[in-house]
Amino acid sequence: MHDDRSITEQRLRRVLEERVKPAVHTYPVPLTVERWEAPAEPVPVAEALTAAYTPCTPGEAWGPAWGTTWFKVTGAVPADWAGRTVEAVLDLGFDRMMPGFQCEGLVHRPDGSEVKGLNPYNDWVRVADLAAGGEPVEWYVEAASNPVLVQHAPTSEGDRLTSSDQPLYRLGRMALTVFETEVWELVQDLEVLHELMTQLDGSDARRYEILRAVDAALDEVDLADVPGTAAAARARLTAVLAAPARASAHRISAVGHAHIDSAWLWPLRETVRKVSRTASNVLALMDEHPEFVFAMSQAQQLDWIKTHRPALFERVKKKVADGQFVPVGGMWVESDTNMVGGEAMARQFLYGKKFFLDEFGIETRNVWLPDSFGYTAALPQLVKLSGSRWFLTQKISWSQVNAFPHHTFWWEGIDGSRVFTHFPPVDTYNGDLGGAQLAHAARNYREKGRGTRSLASFGWGDGGGGPTREHLARARRQRDLDGSPRVEVERPDAFFEKARAEYEDAPVWAGELYLELHRGTYTSQAKTKQGNRHSESLLREAELWAATAAVRVPGFAYPYADLERLWKTVLLHQFHDILPGSSIAWVHREARETYARVREELRAVTLAAQTALAGRGEEELVFNCAPHTRRGIPAGGADRPHGSGQPVTVEERHGGGHVLANGRLLLEIDGRGLLVSAYDLEQGREALAPGAAANLLQIHPDFPNMWDAWDIDSFYRNKVTDLVELDALEVTEQGPEAVTVTATRSFGASTVTQSLTLRTGAKTVDIVTDVDWQETEKFLKAAFPLDVKAERTASETQFGHVYRATHTNTSWEAAKFEICAHRWIHAEEPGWGVALLNESTYGHDVTRDVRPDGGQTTTVRLSLLRAPRYPDPQTDQGRHTLRFALAPGATLGDAVREGHALNLPERVVTGAGPVAPLVAVDEDAVVVEAVKLAEDRSGDVVVRLYESRGGRATATLTPGFPVAEAVESDLLERPLDGSAVGPVTRAGKIALTLRPFQILTVRLHRR
């Protein structure tokens, strides 16, 4: 037989696009359209309904960037349409290729209630059940003219303060039509068969069966009367659509979803509207399709619906109760997991799961994070402690170099906790259930021969409207179809139960899920990252002192509501396009403003609690919020400092510069203002490589191949400029307690002032870097070449640390040329190490070189600032103050202690006398992460601790108040059947036993 496949396929494409699809909506009757421009920001629906509208016609321009135009749409269903299915087509001027990245609308009834959203693939509204023939139709469309910002080019449209006021869109067709059901069904038949056919091998007889059936169906179509011949055409396809799937066919659990970034190429306020549009869409779809299941993550987004659209939220609650609308994820937002602090990660689960429990009575069991930029090795333990059982991600499919070896596996964290994990082989979280995607999932699936099933989420994301009726039509046709994977629409937990049941002995992946892409997100938007770190530290302080005051000071009220509100604000800004620095200028401008307000509120809470604790008096008390004693002040207590060390001395250095010493460290700063020696006097060891200079600022070009704010590509290292030219060098502070040497430099259009300080009793050199950064597409690093033969470095992560190799033996190590660390990174050879500490920096890189003398130099660098131009062309421009420190001779325990000390500064308050800690722990390896009052407002004290060094630890917890019982709890402060917490002794002490990196939450019931 002659091979005429291409002819039939070309025929199908043209007939489908030019004749069949246009015949779905027939007999258009124009609607009357009027418009009203909302002033500046969105207004309440009630205000828009009573506004003065003016006439408008299709083709008319509308919508300046970030504006809102309300369209009033009226008309009447023709009398002779009675008994027919009627739909309005409301085209706001959509580009069909970009759902979610352009204008969007929400249709309201005259009473203000929501009908559904309008999007490029969802521009219709069913009216047959609202009006019979001759009856009037009236809607109000809230249309958002969001600018299209996906071109990956610098633009001023990313902030309403700089965007254009020119109209962006032209109104399209606004008409009542007859919806030709049989034609629409024919479209779905042909599209499913076409995609299936083109995915089958050319030697597969099934491909030719479909080809001949399609050819016959097209013969039945009268191009001049598609509606009249659609049924006959469909009849020729019945047999090929009824053929059952092969016994070995891959099984796909299809879950409706609409991935919505809580901010990205739009501000937070626009996401508030995106989620309402999407929710109204899926609720309407559920009413028509009882088999439809939709999963929505991010408690914050549901809370927005509750706050701004209470009637819509009540409809959501009903569908949750019915089992169609499924909350997933268990987190407040789909956060970044690389940079979020340990306690903040715990609160993501606490407040996320608490919302789902309080509002829906549902305990979510899965953690849904498809799009975050890599996943911390601390996460499995947090997932388990939150009461969840499954983990889902998708983003690892974006890795540039190494293909991840599993799709279903057990993920093991730093403490040994394991969580059953799925990585959908469909390689998208915005699936369309088309034949190409389903075939890719089946081919790509790496568990063949052991597992048989995978999950695919389907629906247009980011305000694109979510799942459509077309998606559900594809699912129905491919439920049991020869040549296709079997598709079943079902809840995520149903998939995970089945997947685990068939593959309990799935392989294990231990350690972080490192994304080999988007490494620049550890550095972009430094002020956003600094705001996050500072806010996490301030929340710790506020809770600790407020809890202490609430227990100790009669009448002091613990600010439950304020702390919860502030926590949720910080958690929101940990979303995976805000904290990573990959959103538009508007988002980061607002983030800076928000962090400033958070800072002032938390400082006020802290000061009120400390003042109440200190009492009236004239004694200067230093409050120590850090988890370790410092200057004689106990952790979580206040006192006068005592105990110090030798006075700090400063001398002129031969050849220029200065020599500083305090009996523990001897520092040499040369005439260039660079640190050329950091000598550990206690152990007789030099920290810096011979002939090398530390605290060396270096500039690289920064122009990645794509994804400007997200990426750095390894070739940036090919060119480097050392900043060694000096404007000024001077001793700016000199006294027995501290000496500071300050160096000022100019480079490009920028200036930098660095102050290096050595304090009495300290074994760290503190460095404050003030930068006026005016560069573009440049990368600023601070290098510390260490005389340490380190085979690996330890980087702090949530509740512990991860080891990463310094070599590049394999492509897996080589791909980690930029890594994330929290408060410290530690390089060590047996018996001696160095820690590099920071106060708000996350990006680092580590390289190793062998010197001519045979020694190894391990160079650790901090990534300080970037200057990408997309999506925010002014990224990081302006003034920054960055603090970091070098700790020669530091052990892992020293790194933990000094990292906390740098991030949790002392506070001085005048009062009557010392304040004893509310709780105390007698083992430095066991770190108190949080002290707070219980969420249920019972007055119980909750203490969260962790083993910080990677070894077993026993400790005694001593509460500074009468305790009736100590209970090991989960992250939601519910009892666990654990054995880490002993009974309360007569002396009021509690024995603790922790495995390496174990997180332990202890709930103390007060007597």
Side-chain angles (χ1 to χ4, degrees):
M1 183 180 291
H2 300 300
D3 187 352
D4 57 355
R5 285 177 301 172
S6 62
I7 295 173
T8 300
E9 289 167 6
Q10 291 171 18
R11 178 192 186 194
L12 171 58
R13 278 191 288 268
R14 185 173 186 193
V15 171
L16 191 58
E17 293 300 321
E18 296 185 24
R19 292 293 187 272
V20 182
K21 285 185 178 180
V24 169
H25 290 102
T26 59
Y27 308 107
V29 174
L31 289 158
T32 300
V33 184
E34 299 171 274
R35 66 186 287 178
W36 174 69
E37 303 294 336
E41 289 300 282
V43 301
V45 176
E47 181 179 340
L49 294 178
T50 58
Y53 286 76
T54 58
C56 177
T57 58
E60 190 170 308
W62 69 277
W66 307 116
T68 301
T69 302
W70 283 80
F71 294 103
K72 181 179 179 180
V73 182
T74 56
V77 177
D80 59 355
W81 286 7
R84 307 193 72 172
T85 301
V86 180
E87 288 185 350
V89 175
L90 305 178
D91 182 359
L92 299 178
F94 297 123
D95 181 335
R96 306 291 167 177
M97 301 305 293
M98 291 189 296
F101 297 97
Q102 54 180 295
C103 59
E104 300 171 32
L106 180 57
V107 182
H108 301 78
R109 300 180 183 89
D111 64 3
S113 61
E114 302 85 3
V115 180
K116 68 187 292 286
L118 294 178
N119 313 95
Y121 293 110
N122 226 319
D123 62 353
W124 54 272
V125 181
R126 181 66 59 88
V127 297
D129 56 345
L130 301 178
E135 291 190 4
V137 172
E138 180 178 349
W139 291 302
Y140 293 80
V141 179
E142 180 185 15
S145 49
N146 301 331
V148 176
L149 300 176
V150 293
Q151 306 93 333
H152 291 275
T155 175
S156 61
E157 298 293 283
D159 193 334
R160 64 182 177 85
L161 301 183
T162 58
S163 59
S164 168
D165 60 0
Q166 296 302 307
L168 299 178
Y169 300 99
R170 290 191 177 276
L171 199 63
R173 179 167 66 161
M174 308 287 276
L176 290 174
T177 70
V178 171
F179 177 72
E180 303 288 357
T181 304
E182 202 68 16
V183 176
W184 183 85
E185 295 286 2
L186 176 61
V187 170
Q188 312 317 309
D189 292 345
L190 291 172
E191 286 194 329
V192 165
L193 290 171
H194 179 231
E195 283 211 44
L196 172 59
M197 175 174 60
T198 55
Q199 293 302 311
L200 293 173
D201 187 80
S203 62
D204 192 328
R206 173 65 169 161
R207 177 166 182 157
Y208 291 90
E209 290 175 4
I210 297 172
L211 186 77
R212 302 307 168 206
V214 167
D215 214 15
L218 294 177
D219 287 343
E220 295 289 347
V221 176
D222 182 345
L223 300 183
D225 183 18
V226 175
T229 55
R234 292 194 69 209
R236 301 302 294 267
L237 301 173
T238 302
V240 290
L241 285 168
R246 299 161 192 176
S248 61
H250 184 64
R251 297 176 180 272
I252 290 179
S253 296
V255 180
H257 186 51
H259 175 81
I260 303 179
D261 289 300
S262 288
W264 179 25
L265 302 181
W266 48 85
L268 287 166
R269 68 89 153 143
E270 193 56 32
T271 316
V272 172
R273 302 200 293 178
K274 282 177 180 282
V275 296
S276 292
R277 298 177 196 124
T278 301
S280 65
N281 258 1
V282 299
L283 290 170
L285 203 57
M286 287 172 186
D287 289 339
E288 295 293 323
H289 301 276
E291 81 281 9
F292 173 43
V293 171
F294 176 78
M296 187 170 183
S297 64
Q298 306 194 66
Q300 170 69 87
Q301 295 187 359
L302 287 159
D303 191 45
W304 279 333
I305 298 174
K306 178 185 176 184
T307 301
H308 298 278
R309 301 275 181 174
L312 185 65
F313 188 71
E314 289 304 311
R315 292 171 59 198
V316 168
K317 290 182 73 170
K318 182 180 184 306
K319 292 298 185 182
V320 171
D322 292 344
Q324 284 186 273
F325 199 115
V326 184
V328 293
M331 297 175 70
W332 190 248
V333 295
E334 287 184 15
S335 76
D336 172 80
T337 77
N338 290 311
M339 295 170 284
V340 174
E343 188 58 27
M345 283 298 300
R347 301 305 174 92
Q348 288 283 355
F349 288 106
L350 167 63
Y351 289 118
K353 295 199 68 162
K354 186 174 182 296
F355 180 89
F356 295 140
L357 281 164
D358 290 348
E359 298 296 335
F360 309 124
I362 284 179
E363 171 104 17
T364 55
R365 296 296 186 185
N366 50 66
V367 177
W368 185 281
L369 281 177
D371 191 32
S372 297
F373 309 148
Y375 304 93
T376 170
L379 200 52
Q381 183 178 192
L382 288 162
V383 170
K384 291 191 72 172
L385 288 173
S386 74
S388 297
R389 301 174 61 191
W390 330 113
F391 180 74
L392 178 139
T393 178
Q394 182 70 71
K395 200 70 173 188
I396 300 301
S397 65
W398 287 41
S399 284
Q400 289 176 309
V401 180
N402 297 287
F404 195 76
H406 313 299
H407 282 114
T408 300
F409 59 99
W410 288 96
W411 181 21
E412 181 179 307
I414 56 175
D415 73 310
S417 295
R418 291 181 178 179
V419 59
F420 195 75
T421 300
H422 185 61
F423 164 27
V426 70
D427 285 348
T428 181
Y429 39 80
N430 293 316
D432 61 11
L433 298 185
Q437 288 185 358
L438 299 184
H440 174 75
R443 286 193 299 264
N444 189 37
Y445 183 60
R446 291 179 175 268
E447 317 307 321
K448 295 183 184 75
R450 300 299 303 277
T452 64
R453 62 186 68 244
S454 66
L455 182 146
S457 63
F458 65 94
W460 303 111
D462 283 328
T468 65
R469 57 188 178 188
E470 288 79 13
H471 293 152
L472 293 176
R474 292 171 191 168
R476 285 194 300 274
R477 285 162 174 78
Q478 295 171 110
R479 181 182 176 88
D480 188 12
L481 180 62
D482 185 11
S484 169
R486 286 188 173 90
V487 178
E488 183 172 0
V489 177
E490 61 182 348
R491 296 164 62 94
D493 280 358
F495 160 76
F496 276 105
E497 293 283 1
K498 294 173 184 176
R500 180 170 174 178
E502 75 172 9
Y503 203 19
E504 178 70 29
D505 60 342
V508 176
W509 179 272
E512 66 184 326
L513 297 174
Y514 178 91
L515 178 64
E516 297 172 358
L517 194 72
H518 294 357
R519 304 166 184 89
T521 58
Y522 310 148
T523 305
S524 296
Q525 297 287 0
K527 282 190 167 65
T528 298
K529 291 169 170 58
Q530 192 168 68
N532 175 73
R533 180 79 69 83
H534 289 180
S535 295
E536 290 178 344
S537 297
L538 289 165
L539 281 160
R540 173 196 174 97
E541 288 190 76
E543 285 186 335
L544 169 65
W545 302 124
T548 306
V551 173
R552 296 269 178 76
V553 180
F556 186 91
Y558 188 80
Y560 290 100
D562 288 340
L563 288 171
E564 179 173 340
R565 172 177 51 82
L566 291 165
W567 261 117
K568 288 177 177 178
T569 299
V570 173
L571 299 180
L572 166 59
H573 286 80
Q574 292 171 342
F575 177 74
H576 66 253
D577 274 309
I578 303 180
L579 179 54
S582 47
S583 287
I584 56 173
W586 188 345
V587 173
H588 292 289
R589 172 175 57 81
E590 287 192 332
R592 293 190 293 271
E593 296 165 357
T594 298
Y595 284 131
R597 291 193 298 270
V598 168
R599 179 176 64 247
E600 293 309 310
E601 282 199 65
L602 289 171
R603 284 180 175 173
V605 170
T606 296
L607 181 59
Q610 289 175 336
T611 302
L613 287 164
R616 294 185 177 181
E618 301 301 321
E619 187 174 354
E620 275 199 352
L621 301 173
V622 174
F623 280 75
N624 176 21
C625 181
H628 304 92
T629 298
R630 57 180 169 185
R631 297 207 294 162
I633 305 166
D639 204 344
R640 296 183 64 182
H642 53 277
S644 56
Q646 295 182 20
V648 185
T649 62
V650 57
E651 298 176 355
E652 294 295 319
R653 178 180 178 273
H654 179 70
H658 306 277
V659 178
L660 285 61
N662 67 354
R664 304 190 73 193
L665 286 181
L666 187 146
L667 307 176
E668 290 189 39
I669 300 167
D670 71 4
R672 301 170 299 172
L674 300 176
L675 187 63
V676 293
S677 177
Y679 194 79
D680 178 353
L681 292 168
E682 293 177 332
Q683 299 189 53
R685 174 71 183 262
E686 173 61 56
L688 305 184
N695 191 37
L696 172 64
L697 296 177
Q698 297 179 308
I699 291 279
H700 295 272
D702 188 11
F703 193 66
N705 288 342
M706 198 178 172
W707 303 107
D708 291 12
W710 292 259
D711 280 358
I712 54 174
D713 288 321
S714 60
F715 54 73
Y716 85 89
R717 292 177 171 179
N718 296 347
K719 186 174 181 180
V720 60
T721 301
D722 294 342
L723 302 182
V724 296
E725 298 299 321
L726 190 66
D727 295 344
L729 179 67
E730 58 183 328
V731 177
T732 52
E733 178 185 2
Q734 185 173 351
E737 296 296 317
V739 172
T740 300
V741 176
T742 300
T744 302
R745 310 178 194 280
S746 301
F747 58 95
S750 306
T751 58
V752 58
T753 298
Q754 286 194 293
S755 298
L756 288 77
T757 301
L758 182 63
R759 306 180 194 280
T760 183
K763 206 173 178 182
T764 61
V765 52
D766 297 329
I767 303 167
V768 177
T769 301
D770 291 304
V771 189
D772 184 4
W773 181 246
Q774 301 297 334
E775 308 305 302
T776 58
E777 296 172 348
K778 295 290 191 294
F779 195 5
L780 179 65
K781 293 241 180 189
F784 291 81
L786 307 176
D787 189 11
V788 176
K789 189 180 187 302
E791 297 302 309
R792 62 185 185 177
T793 55
S795 298
E796 190 191 30
T797 189
Q798 298 90 346
F799 301 105
H801 58 263
V802 292
Y803 287 111
R804 299 184 180 101
T806 59
H807 61 74
T808 54
N809 283 359
T810 72
S811 58
W812 293 89
E813 285 98 18
K816 296 181 181 180
F817 58 82
E818 183 80 2
I819 57 176
C820 182
H822 284 208
R823 287 167 287 215
W824 53 266
I825 185 169
H826 183 259
E828 183 179 33
E829 61 186 45
W832 198 82
V834 180
L836 185 59
L837 318 159
N838 75 83
E839 184 222 31
S840 60
T841 297
Y842 296 94
H844 297 74
D845 75 282
V846 181
T847 54
R848 59 189 282 180
D849 297 286
V850 176
R851 306 187 297 267
D853 66 2
Q856 178 180 308
T857 299
T858 301
T859 300
V860 181
R861 298 198 300 171
L862 291 158
S863 302
L864 301 181
L865 294 169
R866 298 186 67 215
R869 301 188 64 208
Y870 175 81
D872 176 5
Q874 297 298 313
T875 300
D876 283 340
Q877 301 297 291
R879 295 184 177 275
H880 302 267
T881 298
L882 304 168
R883 294 177 173 85
F884 41 94
L886 183 70
T891 63
L892 278 173
D894 295 331
V896 173
R897 183 185 63 253
E898 297 297 341
H900 279 99
L902 181 62
N903 282 264
L904 298 166
E906 299 170 338
R907 309 286 184 192
V908 179
V909 176
T910 301
V915 177
L918 188 62
V919 295
V921 178
D922 65 353
E923 168 56 63
D924 273 358
V926 177
V927 173
V928 174
E929 180 75 1
V931 178
K932 62 187 288 292
L933 295 194
E935 293 293 317
D936 62 8
R937 306 196 178 191
S938 61
D940 291 350
V941 175
V942 174
V943 183
R944 190 147 24 249
L945 319 94
Y946 69 100
E947 195 289 313
S948 65
R949 301 179 189 174
R952 295 183 182 275
T954 58
T956 299
L957 174 67
T958 304
F961 57 95
V963 172
E965 185 182 17
V967 178
E968 184 174 347
S969 303
D970 67 6
L971 298 183
L972 276 69
E973 301 169 4
R974 304 172 298 194
L976 284 176
D977 295 329
S979 58
V981 178
V984 181
T985 68
R986 290 185 178 181
K989 298 180 181 295
I990 303 155
L992 308 177
T993 305
L994 287 84
R995 67 179 183 273
F997 295 133
Q998 182 177 357
I999 303 167
L1000 180 60
T1001 303
V1002 184
R1003 182 166 180 154
L1004 303 172
H1005 299 296
R1006 294 159 59 189
R1007 278 196 306 211

